[in-house]
């Protein structure tokens, strides 16, 4: 719906209309809707055209200043995200070592001389999941088994959460027994290979998964959290080189069966995981503070607009310019 001012400064109209909460008019139905009559009957503050220009000039300057600050903070957030990702890659590739050799892994240029490059399947039991048939309603009664589906990806999408403890859905013991789903032990690493492909986590308790996931239950030579951070470090490679499909990316099981990672000693794996956690904690704390600053500036911007267009203060005095 377009609103074309017949009189006044169009900039003032834009600012004024941005303060109106149309959700109050739209109601609470499944498809909220605001009709033309409701918009036409709105009553708003409407100062003289000269005052509209003063308010619009003031808001142009002030909102531009706030927008510049927000954009600067966003650039800092982008750099922090890049630094976090680069730090993880550096850690799992042994960046602290001095003696390196060329890597045969597509996502790494080099690894320490003393490290191996090993197929994950040789160090962890690979598994998958399934969905019990919905045509058997008795299999969906008394559901107590945590069941990871693509709905859980949002919990691990920002790579902050390592252990997944809660799932939106559960399946029953009967459904588990009558399907190809299997109960994986706590500490099993999971990777989504369909719709939200590439995102991973560690099971915080015994869990099953849908067929959208591949799992690895690590043996004595592989720390599950080291595997987790390797998977997160190689995500762009997984999606760019192995994922197929234009609309919904899918990573196929045969490719994941051949997946290889760099492998240091078990003690060093634990040290690397600790180093990643410390680095990420520092960056995440700073990121949260900056995001809060952005939220406050955005709130300040909207409050300033609302106060100016409703005449709560003299914009000429506020800008130090009386005309």
């Amino acid at each position: 719906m377009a609103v074309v001012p017949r009189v006044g400064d169009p900039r003032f109209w834009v600012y004024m209309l941005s303060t109106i909460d149309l959700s109050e008019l739209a109601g609470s139905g499944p498809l909220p809707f605001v009709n033309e009559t409701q918009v036409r009957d709105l009553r708003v503050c409407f100062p003289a055209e000269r005052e509209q220009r003063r308010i619009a000039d003031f808001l142009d300057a002030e909102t531009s200043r706030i927008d510049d600050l927000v954009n600067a903070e966003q650039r800092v957030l982008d750099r922090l995200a890049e630094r976090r990702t680069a730090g993880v890659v550096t850690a799992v590739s042994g960046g602290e070592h001095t003696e390196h050799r060329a890597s045969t892994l597509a996502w790494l240029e080099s690894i320490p001389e003393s490290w191996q490059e090993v197929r994950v399947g040789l160090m962890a039991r690979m598994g998958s999941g399934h969905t019990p048939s919905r045509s058997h309603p008795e299999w969906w009664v008394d559901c107590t088994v945590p069941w990871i589906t693509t709905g859980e990806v949002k919990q691990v999408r920002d790579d902050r959460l390592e252990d997944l403890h809660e799932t939106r859905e559960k399946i029953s013991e009967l459904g588990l027994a009558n399907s190809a789903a299997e109960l994986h032990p706590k500490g099993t690493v999971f990777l989504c290979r369909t719709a939200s492909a590439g995102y991973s986590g560690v099971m915080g308790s015994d869990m099953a998964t849908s067929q959208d996931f591949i799992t690895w239950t690590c043996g004595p030579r592989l720390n599950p959290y080291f595997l987790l951070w390797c998977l997160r470090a190689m995500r762009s490679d997984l999606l760019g080189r192995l994922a197929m499909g234009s609309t919904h990316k899918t990573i196929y099981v045969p490719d994941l069966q051949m997946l290889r990672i760099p492998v240091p000693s078990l003690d060093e794996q634990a040290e690397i995981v600790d180093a990643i956690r410390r680095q990420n904690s520092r960056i995440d704390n700073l990121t949260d503070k900056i995001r809060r600053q952005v939220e406050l500036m955005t709130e300040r911007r909207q409050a300033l607009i609302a106060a100016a267009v409703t005449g709560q203060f003299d914009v000429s005095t506020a800008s130090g310019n009386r005309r």
Side-chain angles (χ1 to χ4, degrees):
M1 182 183 301
V3 177
V4 181
R6 294 179 180 175
V7 294
D9 192 312
R11 296 173 301 157
F12 176 85
W13 279 83
V14 171
Y15 286 123
M16 180 269 295
L17 290 173
S18 73
T19 67
I20 299 174
D21 184 4
L22 294 180
S23 64
E24 295 181 359
L25 302 177
S28 57
L31 294 174
F33 176 75
V34 178
N35 62 46
E36 184 176 343
T37 301
Q38 287 175 299
V39 174
R40 188 168 56 245
D41 290 344
L42 284 172
R43 302 181 72 83
V44 297
C45 297
F46 195 72
E49 186 168 350
R50 181 181 178 187
E51 182 64 14
Q52 290 180 42
R53 285 197 299 270
R54 278 202 296 266
I55 293 171
D57 288 343
F58 170 80
L59 289 176
D60 281 349
E62 291 301 309
T63 59
S64 178
R65 183 178 65 83
I66 294 173
D67 290 344
D68 287 343
L69 290 172
V70 168
N71 289 335
E73 295 282 45
Q74 187 57 57
R75 288 193 293 272
V76 174
L77 289 174
D78 292 341
R79 299 294 86 76
L80 286 173
E82 292 171 1
R83 180 178 175 184
R84 191 183 194 275
T85 299
V88 171
V89 174
T90 297
V92 300
S93 62
E96 297 298 318
H97 287 253
T98 56
E99 299 294 328
H100 279 244
R101 59 180 172 83
S103 172
T104 62
L105 303 176
W107 54 285
L108 289 180
E109 292 184 1
S110 66
I111 63 170
E113 288 279 3
S114 59
W115 288 21
Q116 297 177 301
E117 294 173 334
V118 182
R119 185 162 62 86
V120 179
L122 296 177
M123 298 179 295
R125 182 178 65 83
M126 191 174 182
S128 186
H130 195 256
T131 301
S133 175
R134 300 280 185 180
S135 63
H136 288 270
E138 69 273 17
W139 294 355
W140 291 90
V141 177
D142 296 327
C143 296
T144 58
V145 179
W147 187 52
I148 303 175
T149 66
T150 54
E152 272 65 65
V153 169
K154 67 180 181 181
Q155 295 190 52
V156 297
R157 188 177 290 275
D158 64 1
D159 287 350
R160 291 197 180 192
L161 185 73
E162 290 183 318
D163 296 293
L164 182 70
H165 292 282
E166 299 291 334
T167 60
R168 297 188 310 168
E169 296 189 68
K170 295 181 180 180
I171 59 176
S172 69
E173 295 284 354
L174 190 60
L176 185 67
N178 286 278
S179 72
E182 57 180 308
L183 188 62
H184 304 285
K186 176 182 177 179
T188 294
V189 180
F190 63 87
L191 173 76
C192 187
R193 64 178 193 85
T194 62
S196 298
Y199 292 96
S200 53
V202 176
M203 295 181 184
S205 63
D206 296 354
M207 294 180 172
T209 77
S210 70
Q211 60 274 17
D212 302 292
F213 293 84
I214 284 292
T215 65
W216 289 277
T217 303
C218 296
R221 294 177 54 204
L222 184 59
N223 182 316
Y225 296 99
F226 180 78
L227 172 58
L228 172 69
W229 287 109
C230 282
L231 292 173
R232 291 178 172 182
M234 69 170 81
R235 182 183 299 126
S236 60
D237 178 66
L238 289 174
L239 297 178
R241 187 171 56 87
L242 299 182
M244 303 294 178
S246 55
T247 304
H248 297 293
K249 297 289 187 180
T250 298
I251 306 173
Y252 291 99
V253 173
D255 290 322
L256 291 171
Q257 288 174 329
M258 302 306 296
L259 202 65
R260 295 185 303 142
I261 60 171
V263 182
S265 69
L266 200 57
D267 286 342
E268 189 169 2
Q269 291 177 40
E271 291 171 1
I272 289 170
V273 170
D274 287 341
I276 289 173
R277 288 170 176 168
R278 290 194 301 271
Q279 172 214 259
N280 289 352
S281 178
R282 291 192 298 269
I283 293 176
D284 292 345
N285 286 338
L286 181 56
T287 295
D288 289 342
K289 290 178 182 179
I290 295 175
R291 284 178 178 167
R292 180 56 183 156
Q293 290 174 354
V294 170
E295 290 174 2
L296 291 173
M297 285 189 286
T298 302
E299 292 171 4
R300 164 66 177 166
R301 185 185 194 278
Q302 193 59 27
L304 188 67
I305 293 172
V309 300
T310 55
Q312 295 179 34
F313 64 90
D314 184 346
V315 298
S316 297
T317 302
S319 63
N321 180 24
R322 296 182 179 275
R323 287 189 291 176

